[in-house]
Amino acid sequence: MTLRSSESSDGAERAGTEWRGPGAEVTERAAAERLVAAMEELRRAGWYWGSMNVAEAKERLQDTPEGTFLVRDSSHSEYLLTISVKTSAGPTNLRIEYQDGKFRLDSIICVRSRLKQFDSVVHLIEYYVLTCKDRKTGPETSSNGIVHLYLNKPLYTSIPSLQHHCRITINKCTNKILELPLPTRLKEYLKEYQYQESHQHSEQMVAGLL
């Protein structure tokens, strides 16, 4: 998979707002509601840094292990979000597109249509962290300059609470939250963030650095 990445650009694709005929207003409202919900979920994750430019992201990630990443707002006018990640070549950036209520990684046009789409940014991140967790990694940099991107460990804005760590652990063990012998309020807390967010394995992605 060849993914476009650049240290001088970042973000996620804007959602269309043009009028599309009868029912368009309902569709746009639903997409807006999904975006609001996705952003609330992203804030609960603890590794969304909000407004941060390329230089600031690079400074934050400079001394971190390879595979450390964060999600931040895009400074590009046509995008919403970007993933900043530490690679063997240093910190770099990968756009997250948002269109028609769905999120996906930015890529070259010939690959874009084949990339998986998600209802939320957190789900997108979880998928790419977990999908290739058992895949053996190759050389860090190939002869043609391709750099491997590993999404392995998020960089938190602050130390996550013990409660948050506990629900991540519970989510790793079961997806049947409602069947657990727990108080209703606690089940609701667990269901607010039903992601494994594994840090023990890494996802291998290939990014053609511009």
Side-chain angles (χ1 to χ4, degrees):
M1 182 187 301
T2 301
L3 304 173
R4 185 170 56 196
S5 175
S6 171
E7 290 207 22
S8 61
S9 61
D10 53 345
E13 193 170 359
R14 65 169 181 257
T17 57
E18 67 274 12
W19 187 78
R20 301 177 184 175
E25 182 178 349
V26 175
T27 301
E28 291 176 5
R29 186 186 306 119
E33 290 173 351
R34 286 197 295 270
L35 178 58
V36 169
M39 292 305 296
E40 290 177 350
E41 186 177 64
L42 179 58
R43 292 184 183 94
R44 286 195 292 269
W47 30 264
Y48 168 59
W49 288 73
S51 179
M52 174 184 284
N53 60 36
V54 174
E56 291 171 331
K58 182 176 181 179
E59 182 178 359
R60 290 283 185 179
L61 294 169
Q62 191 64 53
D63 297 324
T64 62
E66 183 180 356
T68 304
F69 67 90
L70 59 86
V71 175
R72 59 185 175 84
D73 293 339
S74 173
S75 56
H76 195 291
S77 61
E78 295 185 351
Y79 293 86
L80 295 174
L81 299 166
T82 198
I83 304 170
S84 292
V85 57
K86 178 67 175 294
T87 74
S88 59
T92 191
N93 304 284
L94 182 63
R95 292 169 176 169
I96 301 176
E97 298 183 345
Y98 177 72
Q99 189 172 30
D100 299 327
K102 297 289 186 177
F103 298 90
R104 67 182 174 188
L105 293 179
D106 185 27
S107 182
I108 56 178
I109 294 177
C110 63
V111 174
R112 187 174 301 159
S113 63
R114 301 200 300 269
L115 292 179
K116 188 175 178 64
Q117 299 184 80
F118 303 87
D119 291 328
S120 77
V121 181
V122 179
H123 190 189
L124 180 152
I125 294 294
E126 181 194 47
Y127 174 83
Y128 283 109
V129 167
L130 296 175
T131 296
C132 299
K133 65 182 181 180
D134 296 323
R135 183 184 301 174
K136 293 182 179 180
T137 61
E140 292 182 342
T141 305
S142 61
S143 58
N144 61 359
I146 296 297
V147 174
H148 296 272
L149 294 185
Y150 302 96
L151 292 186
N152 182 37
K153 180 180 180 182
L155 182 64
Y156 287 96
T157 58
S158 60
I159 298 176
S161 67
L162 178 59
Q163 291 91 333
H164 186 66
H165 277 304
C166 286
R167 68 178 168 185
I168 290 175
T169 300
I170 292 173
N171 287 332
K172 290 179 182 179
C173 298
T174 182
N175 59 0
K176 299 180 179 179
I177 300 299
L178 296 179
E179 298 180 13
L180 295 176
L182 298 172
T184 300
R185 182 176 298 181
L186 184 52
K187 291 180 183 179
E188 292 175 350
Y189 176 77
L190 294 175
K191 285 175 62 64
E192 285 180 357
Y193 193 83
Q194 291 185 274
Y195 297 96
Q196 298 182 33
E197 200 171 297
S198 174
H199 304 164
Q200 301 304 314
H201 304 283
S202 61
E203 148 70 1
Q204 179 180 3
M205 298 185 298
V206 180
L209 299 182
L210 300 181

